[in-house]
Amino acid sequence: MALSLTTSIALATILFFVIYKFATRSKSTKNSLPEPWRLPIIGHMHHLIGTIPHRGLMDLARKYGSLMHLQLGEVSTIVVSSPKWAKEILTTYDIAFANRPWTLAGEIVVYRNTNIAAAPYGEYWRRLRKLCTSELMSVKKVKSYQSLREEECWNLVQEIKASGSGIPVNLSENIFKLIATILCRAAFGKGVKDQKECTEIMKEMLREVGGFDVADIFPSKKFLHHLSGKRARLTSIHKKLDNFINNLVAEHTFKTSSKTEETLLDVLLRLKDSAEFPLTADNVKAIILV
């Protein structure tokens, strides 16, 4: 019995080191980037545990250089920590690095990664970029929202002023509310029903989309998406958003707006069936979330 236990431990130890060696070996040592030592399955994740991510990456960059490789679970990552390499990646090799990483949030919340922030590089993304530069975010369009921004900023100042002296104000909460209101008005227009609901949904969405989630570093392990509860929470948020936007789309479909009052949703609905920017209903809803 004792021999069997000893043999089992020895075999398990040997197996561990074989797996570790296999996981950490480089396919090509000639052109491989420097990287810290890694563990099976989680890769280099343990180097970032117990530290603020950007500081942990800074410490690793000091040791392994301004261009290094990290394996975060199943996700192979290149970490750039110098202006020189950042310029190379963003200009010379921008096409090679243009694709966005897959995330569960992008898949569920933004209609299978079809907004400009999450869409993979290709013909569809190029059409979205052209749509943004020529219609949604043109200089003329951005300037047209100046009075809106000024009005909402003034409302915030007045609200804080009316709260009385000596009363603490949650500035973070108020600024988030300000940004959400400006975005909501620019996208859907003034007098949106359930403005508070819109703000709460946005807050809930940002809470789930931001931060670390195990599902994003092990995208092929579908059971983790359910085990962590992430999929259920994102699906719930998506349903709320979808219902909210569907109601607004229905309202705007039967509403006529002048060019000066045209919201972002109006622009998308106007261009939806055009030959230049053909969009599905889900595309419109995904883009408006940006």
Side-chain angles (χ1 to χ4, degrees):
M1 186 72 174
L3 181 62
S4 177
L5 180 61
T6 304
T7 304
S8 298
I9 293 173
L11 287 173
T13 304
I14 293 169
L15 181 61
F16 172 83
F17 280 107
V18 168
I19 294 173
Y20 173 74
K21 193 70 177 176
F22 179 81
T24 56
R25 72 177 183 176
S26 174
K27 292 181 180 178
S28 173
T29 56
K30 184 179 179 180
N31 296 317
S32 62
L33 292 173
E35 61 176 53
W37 64 279
R38 69 168 83 177
L39 290 173
I41 302 175
I42 66 170
H44 298 111
M45 286 293 298
H46 58 290
H47 291 286
L48 301 176
I49 294 174
T51 181
I52 300 174
H54 68 275
R55 291 183 180 174
L57 292 172
M58 179 183 68
D59 292 338
L60 289 173
R62 285 173 176 167
K63 187 173 182 180
Y64 296 98
S66 57
L67 194 65
M68 64 177 173
H69 174 257
L70 292 182
Q71 186 71 32
L72 306 178
E74 296 176 347
V75 181
S76 181
T77 308
I78 295 175
V79 181
V80 181
S81 307
S82 75
K84 173 192 171 185
W85 287 114
K87 183 179 179 181
E88 287 291 309
I89 287 171
L90 294 173
T91 55
T92 310
Y93 302 103
D94 58 326
I95 300 298
F97 292 94
N99 267 335
R100 281 76 170 159
W102 180 93
T103 63
L104 186 62
E107 182 70 18
I108 295 174
V109 178
V110 290
Y111 302 87
R112 297 182 180 85
N113 298 297
T114 52
N115 70 349
I116 194 166
Y121 180 78
E123 181 58 33
Y124 174 75
W125 183 85
R126 285 192 291 270
R127 286 207 315 270
L128 289 189
R129 182 180 61 179
K130 185 178 180 181
L131 175 64
C132 285
T133 55
S134 63
E135 295 283 351
L136 300 179
M137 299 297 173
S138 64
V139 174
K140 183 179 178 181
K141 197 69 179 173
V142 172
K143 283 184 177 179
S144 71
Y145 295 128
Q146 182 176 344
S147 60
L148 183 158
R149 294 190 294 269
E150 290 174 350
E151 180 185 340
E152 291 301 332
C153 287
W154 175 252
N155 289 341
L156 175 60
V157 171
Q158 293 302 109
E159 186 178 332
I160 293 173
K161 185 179 178 181
S163 64
S165 60
I167 298 176
V169 175
N170 189 333
L171 200 56
S172 298
E173 184 74 21
N174 279 281
I175 290 176
F176 178 85
K177 181 183 173 184
L178 169 69
I179 295 170
T181 303
I182 291 173
L183 291 175
C184 200
R185 283 188 59 182
F188 308 119
K190 191 173 183 179
V192 175
K193 295 178 182 177
D194 302 319
Q195 172 69 53
K196 187 176 180 181
E197 180 191 0
C198 178
T199 304
E200 289 302 316
I201 293 173
M202 288 178 66
K203 191 184 296 184
E204 191 178 353
M205 179 179 69
L206 290 174
R207 191 185 303 120
E208 286 297 330
V209 170
F212 168 79
D213 188 77
V214 69
D216 291 334
I217 62 170
F218 293 102
S220 71
K221 305 298 185 289
K222 304 299 182 185
F223 70 93
L224 290 175
H225 305 167
H226 298 279
L227 195 64
S228 66
K230 185 82 169 182
R231 179 175 287 276
R233 293 193 299 272
L234 289 173
T235 301
S236 174
I237 293 169
H238 173 71
K239 286 179 180 178
K240 293 177 188 176
L241 267 174
D242 194 58
N243 289 333
F244 183 80
I245 297 175
N246 278 337
N247 291 334
L248 289 169
V249 169
E251 290 177 14
H252 281 249
T253 302
F254 298 103
K255 186 191 78 172
T256 56
S257 299
S258 65
K259 281 287 182 180
T260 55
E261 297 174 339
E262 198 175 42
T263 65
L264 299 181
L265 182 57
D266 291 325
V267 174
L268 290 171
L269 292 175
R270 172 168 56 82
L271 298 172
K272 185 168 77 75
D273 298 320
S274 67
E276 187 177 8
F277 300 112
L279 299 168
T280 67
D282 280 354
N283 292 157
V284 170
K285 290 185 281 187
I287 295 166
I288 207 70
L289 288 176
V290 179

